[in-house]
Amino acid sequence: MKIAILGFGTVGSGVYDIIANGDTRMRVTAIFIRPTHPATMPEMTTDLDAILNDPTIDVIVETMGGLHPAHDYILQALQHDKHVVTANKAVVAKYLPEFTAVAAQHHVQFYFEATTGGGIPWIRNLERAARIDQIDTIEGIFNGTSNYILDQMQRAHLDFDPVLLAAKDMGYAEADPSADIDGEDVVNKLKISAALAYNMAPPRDVPTFGIRNVSKADIDFFASQHQVLRLIGKSKRDGDHYSMVVEPRLYSETALAANTFENFNLIRLHGQTIGDLQFYGQGAGKYPTANAIVQDLYDILENAPHLDRSFDQPLHFDANLNVTDYVLRADPMTFAMFNDRETEIVNDRLVIKQIPTGDMHKLMRGVLAIDADAFMAAIGDSELAAKDVLHQRDQEVIG
């Protein structure tokens, strides 16, 4: 099987390394680079048309990232009857139904294991579960960069900025880390996961609040309550309604999520007959992500088809499907926005009881208009025990 790689950055070079030192049935014969990139290998070319029109190339691996020109390149590859494997979560989250339909029309495969969970075999196992079960919950730590930051802030007692700088130095964070710390990376991964689980086209907008505003004082306060903060993506289905949200969430210090350290991911699904399945592992990095791409290449090589989805289930998005407690740190003058809710002030923070998720995120936009540095987190996982722990600690603080 002859392969062309589009883009030769961290992931693309990782794919090349694994193939070059692995199965002789696979060979990279072309590497597409931008004209500004020096051609340092004989396989490198700036001529995309030559790759598309080369009948000996079976598969195109797209590792360029971003929406454009990746969208056009993937479509052209599929239309030239070439299988496509990608790690590009942004383009898959937006165009998954289109890519899948075009691939089917041209009798080729479009695979994207590496988009979600890095080296964790999440997509493949989600597909296997969805063949049998109706999946009703997807949630977890989908982003290694944000998890590294929150973990180091708590365990090393550091503030946000120096930890973010360290994450950049270690290669966990990009020069512009906005997608990671503002939650957009998790949104894309959650959209892909929910589309597969529910067989529907994901919504355009998802309630999202990241960790940009979290402070050491916040982390210290949560630790005093025996709670650990994680950035979580969660989707829930109930009948023909479903929800999606990305937000910081507090867990008991004994919970699995609280003990997922460094840049690791922990992702869970729940199905009617399989129950809970949890997946843990390296969520990012050169070789974990490249490994996931090569796994997809093996599936193409060995003719192992993935789950066939039409993404046409008529489900209704409901941002208020979930109801939970939130803790808010903000200018006290914003607390009046929640006067019609049951609330409690703990250590200068407002705890809002049993508020629908969509309503909380709408109100938070108003809070941020007054206090741009405000921060919020959901409390627990809708499990009574998790809420009771925080309530008990709140009472101790008040007392």
Side-chain angles (χ1 to χ4, degrees):
M1 183 168 72
K2 293 184 178 180
I3 300 159
I5 300 175
L6 307 189
F8 205 65
T10 301
V11 176
S13 61
V15 172
Y16 181 89
D17 291 347
I18 293 175
I19 293 174
N21 294 286
D23 197 321
T24 57
R25 293 177 297 170
M26 298 182 191
R27 186 159 66 93
V28 176
T29 59
I31 300 170
F32 176 74
I33 56 173
R34 299 181 189 277
T36 55
H37 190 291
T40 58
M41 301 167 61
E43 298 94 341
M44 288 182 171
T45 178
T46 59
D47 190 346
L48 179 64
D49 287 338
I51 293 174
L52 294 173
N53 292 305
D54 185 343
T56 69
I57 293 176
D58 305 293
V59 187
I60 288 183
V61 173
E62 187 274 313
T63 63
M64 301 180 70
L67 293 177
H68 302 288
H71 172 248
D72 292 337
Y73 290 176
I74 290 172
L75 277 183
Q76 289 181 58
L78 295 171
Q79 290 163 351
H80 280 79
D81 302 327
K82 300 188 186 301
H83 306 290
V84 174
V85 176
T86 182
N88 186 340
K89 62 195 75 84
V91 78
V92 174
K94 187 169 184 178
Y95 297 109
L96 177 56
E98 179 185 20
F99 291 150
T100 302
V102 173
Q105 291 167 7
H106 289 266
H107 307 289
V108 292
Q109 303 298 338
F110 176 71
Y111 291 164
F112 45 92
E113 177 69 62
T115 61
T116 309
I120 302 171
W122 165 250
I123 296 295
R124 189 70 167 127
N125 283 287
L126 176 61
E127 289 180 333
R128 288 174 62 85
R131 290 189 305 185
I132 299 172
D133 263 340
Q134 177 170 300
I135 308 300
D136 57 39
T137 306
I138 297 166
E139 70 172 321
I141 300 167
F142 286 86
N143 182 271
T145 301
S146 62
N147 202 63
Y148 174 81
I149 291 170
L150 294 175
D151 177 50
Q152 289 297 299
M153 288 181 72
Q154 174 147 3
R155 293 198 295 149
H157 306 287
L158 297 172
D159 216 330
F160 184 89
D161 289 338
V163 177
L164 176 58
L165 183 60
K168 291 181 179 180
D169 291 342
M170 297 177 70
Y172 294 157
E174 301 289 341
D176 180 1
S178 299
D180 294 319
I181 64 177
D182 292 332
E184 285 305 314
D185 177 79
V186 181
V187 169
N188 288 329
K189 294 171 179 176
L190 190 62
K191 284 182 175 182
I192 294 168
S193 301
L196 286 173
Y198 310 149
N199 193 25
M200 55 85 194
R204 178 178 298 178
D205 298 315
V206 174
T208 306
F209 188 78
I211 63 168
R212 183 182 292 271
N213 286 358
V214 69
S215 68
K216 183 176 181 297
D218 294 325
I219 298 294
D220 290 345
F221 170 68
F222 300 145
S224 74
Q225 310 297 304
H226 299 270
Q227 299 287 304
V228 175
L229 188 71
R230 293 290 182 256
L231 182 62
I232 299 295
K234 183 172 183 178
S235 178
K236 185 175 182 178
R237 178 179 176 179
D238 185 2
D240 61 354
H241 287 70
Y242 73 100
S243 65
M244 297 174 69
V245 63
V246 175
E247 62 189 3
R249 185 172 288 271
L250 290 164
Y251 291 90
S252 164
E253 60 188 9
T254 60
L256 284 174
N259 289 279
T260 300
F261 304 132
E262 299 287 339
N263 67 322
F264 280 74
N265 285 187
L266 176 70
I267 314 175
R268 175 178 80 92
L269 67 83
H270 182 271
Q272 289 182 331
T273 63
I274 196 65
D276 276 331
L277 289 178
Q278 303 204 49
F279 300 85
Y280 171 85
Q282 288 272 12
K286 178 175 182 174
Y287 289 114
T289 305
N291 185 286
I293 288 175
V294 176
Q295 291 285 358
D296 277 345
L297 292 174
Y298 267 106
D299 285 348
I300 293 170
L301 180 66
E302 297 171 356
N303 195 28
H306 290 197
L307 182 67
D308 185 19
R309 284 303 207 193
S310 54
F311 306 106
D312 59 357
Q313 283 295 304
L315 302 183
H316 305 285
F317 179 73
D318 183 357
N320 282 334
L321 193 59
N322 294 312
V323 178
T324 191
D325 297 353
Y326 285 85
V327 57
L328 170 67
R329 186 261 299 149
D331 187 318
M333 69 180 296
T334 66
F335 292 177
M337 296 181 184
F338 301 90
N339 281 345
D340 61 340
R341 303 283 179 179
E342 181 185 356
T343 62
E344 180 181 1
I345 294 178
V346 180
N347 212 16
D348 298 326
R349 291 166 172 81
L350 187 70
V351 176
I352 305 106
K353 308 292 183 67
Q354 293 299 283
I355 180 171
T357 296
D359 289 350
M360 183 65 201
H361 279 253
K362 287 180 182 178
L363 288 165
M364 191 62 189
R365 290 196 286 272
V367 170
L368 290 169
I370 297 171
D371 181 358
D373 296 320
F375 184 75
M376 75 169 188
I379 299 173
D381 181 52
S382 79
E383 295 176 5
L384 184 61
K387 294 177 183 176
D388 283 347
V389 169
L390 184 58
H391 182 72
Q392 177 184 345
R393 299 297 174 183
D394 289 347
Q395 296 305 314
E396 291 173 2
V397 172
I398 295 171

